[in-house]
């Protein structure tokens, strides 16, 4: 089975992040995520290998997002000028 056009891992991770932020990570299930991205739960397996794999990818995604923010806040600055700017 091929992945749905327009739906990719990044879109899934963004939706998962929003769900975890608003409802808590424990409330994120494959069924609730599938509903959020408007697909059937088995279709998620075209993108991820289950809930444990989704949580690992979500952790990596979070670190990547943090890294991007930290780079923007510090590149070209030094000492006290390298402050967090969101």
């Amino acid at each position: 089975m091929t992945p749905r056009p327009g739906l990719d891992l990044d879109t899934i991770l963004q939706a998962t992040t929003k769900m975890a932020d608003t409802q808590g990570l424990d409330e994120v299930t494959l069924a609730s995520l599938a509903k959020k991205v408007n697909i059937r739960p088995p279709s998620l397996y075209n993108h991820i290998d289950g809930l444990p794999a989704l949580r690992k990818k979500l952790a990596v995604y979070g670190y990547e997002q943090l890294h991007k923010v930290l780079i923007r806040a510090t590149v070209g600055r030094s000492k006290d000028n390298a402050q967090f700017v969101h």
Side-chain angles (χ1 to χ4, degrees):
M1 193 175 263
T2 59
R4 177 179 161 191
L7 183 65
D8 58 13
L9 182 59
D10 194 55
T11 302
I12 290 170
L13 291 173
Q14 288 174 17
T16 306
T17 300
K18 288 178 185 175
M19 289 178 65
D21 284 348
T22 58
Q23 301 168 15
L25 184 58
D26 290 337
E27 297 301 315
V28 175
T29 64
L30 293 182
S32 64
L33 176 59
K35 185 175 181 179
K36 175 122 176 120
V37 296
N38 200 28
I39 61 172
R40 295 183 324 180
S43 298
L44 283 173
Y45 287 94
N46 292 322
H47 303 279
I48 56 169
D49 294 325
L51 190 58
L54 175 64
R55 289 188 174 172
K56 286 180 186 176
K57 289 183 183 296
L58 184 62
V60 171
Y61 179 76
Y63 284 124
E64 289 170 348
Q65 297 307 306
L66 176 60
H67 181 257
K68 287 177 185 178
V69 169
L70 291 175
I71 292 296
R72 280 195 309 266
T74 59
V75 168
R77 298 181 177 121
S78 63
K79 298 185 182 180
D80 290 339
N81 291 326
Q83 296 177 5
F84 178 75
V85 179
H86 192 287

